[in-house]
Amino acid sequence: MAQQPTTLADAISGAEWIMDGHGPRNVQVLKEALEQVDVSQASDMYGRGEVIERFERKMAELLGKESAVFFPSGTMAQQIALRIWCDRRDLPKVAYHPLSHLELHEQDGLKKLHHITPLLLADKDRLITLEDIKALQEDISCLLLELPQREIGGQLPPFGELEAISAYCRENGIRLHLDGARLLEILPYYEKTAAEVCALFDSVYVSFYKGIGGVAGAILAGDKDFTQEAVVWKRRHGGDLISLYPYIISADYYYEKYGGRMARYYEYAKELAALYNGCEAVKTLPEVPVSNMFHVHIAHPKEQVEPLLIELTEETGVAIAYYVNAYDDQTSSYEVSLGERFGTIPKDKLAATFQRLNEKLKALGRG
Amino acid sequence: MAQQPTTLADAISGAEWIMDGHGPRNVQVLKEALEQVDVSQASDMYGRGEVIERFERKMAELLGKESAVFFPSGTMAQQIALRIWCDRRDLPKVAYHPLSHLELHEQDGLKKLHHITPLLLADKDRLITLEDIKALQEDISCLLLELPQREIGGQLPPFGELEAISAYCRENGIRLHLDGARLLEILPYYEKTAAEVCALFDSVYVSFYKGIGGVAGAILAGDKDFTQEAVVWKRRHGGDLISLYPYIISADYYYEKYGGRMARYYEYAKELAALYNGCEAVKTLPEVPVSNMFHVHIAHPKEQVEPLLIELTEETGVAIAYYVNAYDDQTSSYEVSLGERFGTIPKDKLAATFQRLNEKLKALGRG
């Protein structure tokens, strides 16, 4: 007999269905993108050449901006955007959410490399509002808004509030930057085009390996004089690689393949969140998702939830979670982000999995 | 009849043989590297996973260092190496050659991002010597040596001088960093292993798209505590991509394919330099190459040499140069860097091309 899996990763590797994403992050993702490409197509060369310039023009058009620059990463693109806006005002101060990617996941690059001070707006567990910005005690060069706010489950402000924030920033000389890592993912909820959302912002970053499912890479877009400066900083950061085409080709390929299906993934998220919210001791954040993502909170400690999820995966063949975090001593949490895979799970299998999850959680609740 | 080509690039695109490199920089370079890879191989994830860790271990072993980190670019890797050594001594000062990559090609990233001041050692047209280092009037944290010194034709100091520089730096608390973008290319001349050369240095950078012919990417190697810091800075720079495998797989593939053939390319370079030096008004730098590269200097202005090279390429079907620079008002120059392609050119074709070049230069000399 096979040994019992001891980790969630083990259980997932044996699962027949996985809830998250489009598929495994493996070499096939790149190979598939390269299949339809003429192999004699020339590499980009340090930011120049047809493969990069064509994609940059295409993305500038999508985002309704004058110009766009392809970057190896969003970390690099966003630090540079903030640096440019700070240099323009000669004021190295910006504001963003306390759970911004720049604050949590970048080893303080903004502070260590650019000597920019971020003011943290709003409480950790809620969105930034216009009132937060009005209440700022210090002047700032740039406000960064992340849509959706990933670390609180992918929440979004009403579009009207975004418009008010944008107007306020313009009146007060504050540049507005969009962390739109998941920009396409929010368009179905807002019922807006990318360009309509981006029109509220002076600069925009978009990622190609999240909902879009590419290998890596990012676009930074804005006015021409902004992107020209961004290209110089990209060189300084060591991001102006001789060849970025592996990322560009896959970004373009998966943008075409999945970029138009975000409404479907948004519907999947609402369907799945409803299944979760029907289980004892579970709530999703937001309760009704506004994109393809949400967070799951389970009112039991990680030490109990993790083995429960391993068992559930083994019993049903359906992996509903990749990992579990200890949200606090009494609560577990994890993120769900939906793509093609969710649609492949048979509905009866899905219903049975959540019925089983509910039974297990009820048993846990009874102690 | 076809129109006459008007640029060197046009002429080259119609040439049957090209002197430089391994082949065109196109998508096939990546596709070939991926052909033998199991498509279910998992992506690296933010610097972790088998594909990246295995290659980092392999390169650490090659270079005789405790640890190695894969970077998207050498620009990023080297700035970070210098930053770490400066932080260790709390002295943001380094020294390198006036024609160092950091000084010429990085938009002053070292100064703008890391606030490190470089002292420029030696004259532009010669190598750094031990005497230059001893004559430094200011204390420095780190000395960067580039082997070979690319912008002066790829020159190398005698190995004994390297040993003396290394010993002097160790005695004086100066860290020695190797810009080994072309490290494998110099081993045949030194008759040393990579580890023997690297033993003289505290940290080492190697590139994978020069002589090795990969798509992009670099390795930075040193002690474990050095590379651990480098990983943090890599994240700060925006270089800790979710997936670097397109570069890693191709780096490994072309390292295996071409890495062991540098002695052959070195012989090619000596053979080709002799052909150049047999032509009127031409000299190579160095006269006898010490790696697979050298520079060609032609004692006529660019305005005359460029059309001459276009004609030569059209007449012979052999492209001997990719571009021509105005070295000064009276002199043209370009770089030659040899790989697989040179060996495919028939010897009689080669001889006839250089005979024709010599005739043309003689005619030019007669005015």
Side-chain angles (χ1 to χ4, degrees), chain A residues 25-31 34-46 72-73 75-76 79 83 105-109 112-115 209 215-216 232-233 235-239 241-247 249, chain B residues 25-31 34-46 72-73 75-76 79 83 105-109 112-115 209 215-216 232-233 235-239 241-247 249:
Chain A
R25 283 192 65 84
N26 61 23
V27 174
Q28 177 57 23
V29 174
L30 177 60
K31 271 201 154 171
L34 292 173
E35 260 159 32
Q36 31 72 53
V37 177
D38 174 5
V39 294
S40 70
Q41 162 142 30
S43 172
D44 51 312
M45 291 288 286
Y46 300 112
S73 75
T75 295
M76 194 185 292
Q79 285 182 28
R83 174 62 182 259
H105 301 302
E106 303 183 8
Q107 293 277 3
D108 280 340
K112 301 279 186 180
L113 285 171
H114 294 286
H115 305 281
Y209 66 86
V215 178
V232 173
W233 281 108
R235 171 66 60 116
R236 288 175 180 149
H237 265 253
L241 308 193
I242 184 168
S243 297
L244 283 166
Y245 72 81
Y247 300 136
I249 288 171
Chain B
R25 284 191 64 84
N26 61 23
V27 173
Q28 177 57 24
V29 174
L30 177 60
K31 270 202 155 171
L34 292 173
E35 259 160 31
Q36 31 72 54
V37 177
D38 174 5
V39 295
S40 70
Q41 162 143 30
S43 172
D44 51 312
M45 291 287 286
Y46 301 111
S73 75
T75 296
M76 195 185 291
Q79 286 182 28
R83 174 62 182 260
H105 301 301
E106 302 184 8
Q107 293 277 4
D108 281 338
K112 300 279 186 181
L113 285 171
H114 294 286
H115 305 281
Y209 66 87
V215 178
V232 174
W233 282 107
R235 170 65 61 114
R236 287 175 180 148
H237 265 252
L241 308 193
I242 184 168
S243 296
L244 283 165
Y245 72 81
Y247 299 135
I249 288 171

Side-chain angles (χ1 to χ4, degrees), chain B residues 54-366:
Chain B
R54 190 179 50 201
F55 188 64
E56 288 175 342
R57 281 195 305 272
K58 179 175 175 174
M59 289 298 112
E61 200 168 314
L62 172 76
L63 304 172
K65 295 295 180 196
E66 207 172 58
S67 177
V69 182
F70 193 86
F71 275 84
S73 75
T75 296
M76 195 185 291
Q78 295 208 108
Q79 286 182 28
I80 287 172
L82 299 187
R83 174 62 182 260
I84 293 169
W85 297 135
C86 284
D87 281 356
R88 293 272 176 97
R89 275 195 81 168
D90 198 16
L91 173 69
K93 236 171 238 175
V94 298
Y96 50 59
H97 193 272
L99 301 182
S100 162
H101 194 273
L102 290 104
E103 199 62 17
L104 295 189
H105 301 301
E106 302 184 8
Q107 293 277 4
D108 281 338
L110 188 74
K111 300 165 202 169
K112 300 279 186 181
L113 285 171
H114 294 286
H115 305 281
I116 291 172
T117 305
L119 309 179
L120 305 182
L121 281 178
D123 300 326
K124 283 190 176 189
D125 55 1
R126 67 164 177 83
L127 291 170
I128 293 172
T129 64
L130 178 57
E131 292 315 305
D132 294 319
I133 303 158
K134 285 184 173 169
L136 269 170
Q137 299 293 310
E138 294 180 74
D139 206 5
I140 56 170
S141 293
C142 180
L143 169 66
L144 177 148
L145 288 185
E146 183 185 346
L147 303 179
Q149 195 72 51
R150 185 239 181 134
E151 299 287 350
I152 51 173
Q155 298 182 48
L156 284 176
F159 198 75
E161 173 130 24
L162 277 186
E163 290 175 312
I165 290 174
S166 176
Y168 178 84
C169 286
R170 280 183 191 164
E171 280 157 25
N172 289 275
I174 299 168
R175 296 296 191 157
L176 193 57
H177 171 78
L178 172 57
D179 178 342
R182 297 165 179 81
L183 172 64
L184 297 187
E185 291 88 321
I186 65 172
L187 302 179
Y189 172 75
Y190 278 144
E191 298 182 323
K192 300 285 180 192
T193 65
E196 283 167 343
V197 175
C198 295
L200 304 177
F201 294 84
D202 297 293
S203 54
V204 180
Y205 141 68
V206 181
S207 168
F208 293 98
Y209 66 87
K210 296 175 177 94
I212 291 173
V215 178
I219 275 282
L220 182 64
D223 286 348
K224 186 82 189 158
D225 56 353
F226 170 84
T227 57
Q228 278 170 342
E229 275 190 71
V231 164
V232 174
W233 282 107
K234 177 169 125 175
R235 170 65 61 114
R236 287 175 180 148
H237 265 252
D240 190 18
L241 308 193
I242 184 168
S243 296
L244 283 165
Y245 72 81
Y247 299 135
I248 298 165
I249 288 171
S250 55
D252 197 11
Y253 175 79
Y254 290 105
Y255 166 74
E256 290 296 338
K257 186 170 182 183
Y258 300 133
R261 296 167 77 108
M262 295 298 170
R264 179 178 310 210
Y265 309 148
Y266 169 44
E267 293 305 319
Y268 290 166
K270 287 189 286 189
E271 180 187 344
L272 181 60
L275 287 169
Y276 270 113
N277 288 312
C279 292
E280 189 165 296
V282 178
K283 62 185 176 69
T284 68
L285 187 68
E287 190 181 343
V288 179
V290 291
S291 72
N292 70 325
M293 75 167 289
F294 57 88
H295 283 192
V296 178
H297 288 242
I298 301 178
H300 294 290
K302 176 184 169 174
E303 295 66 37
Q304 296 179 348
V305 170
E306 195 158 22
L308 182 154
L309 288 173
I310 292 170
E311 276 179 29
L312 182 75
T313 306
E314 290 184 277
E315 285 175 26
T316 61
V318 181
I320 65 170
Y322 270 121
Y323 68 94
V324 189
N325 281 338
Y327 183 77
D328 57 34
D329 284 356
Q330 297 307 313
T331 316
S332 306
S333 70
Y334 54 89
E335 183 173 290
V336 171
S337 179
L338 299 174
E340 287 297 311
R341 272 172 167 166
F342 184 80
T344 67
I345 305 171
K347 292 294 171 199
D348 56 344
K349 196 77 206 166
L350 196 62
T353 301
F354 276 85
Q355 194 182 330
R356 198 76 195 92
L357 174 64
N358 199 20
E359 285 164 14
K360 284 180 178 291
L361 287 167
K362 279 181 177 164
L364 202 59
R366 284 193 301 271

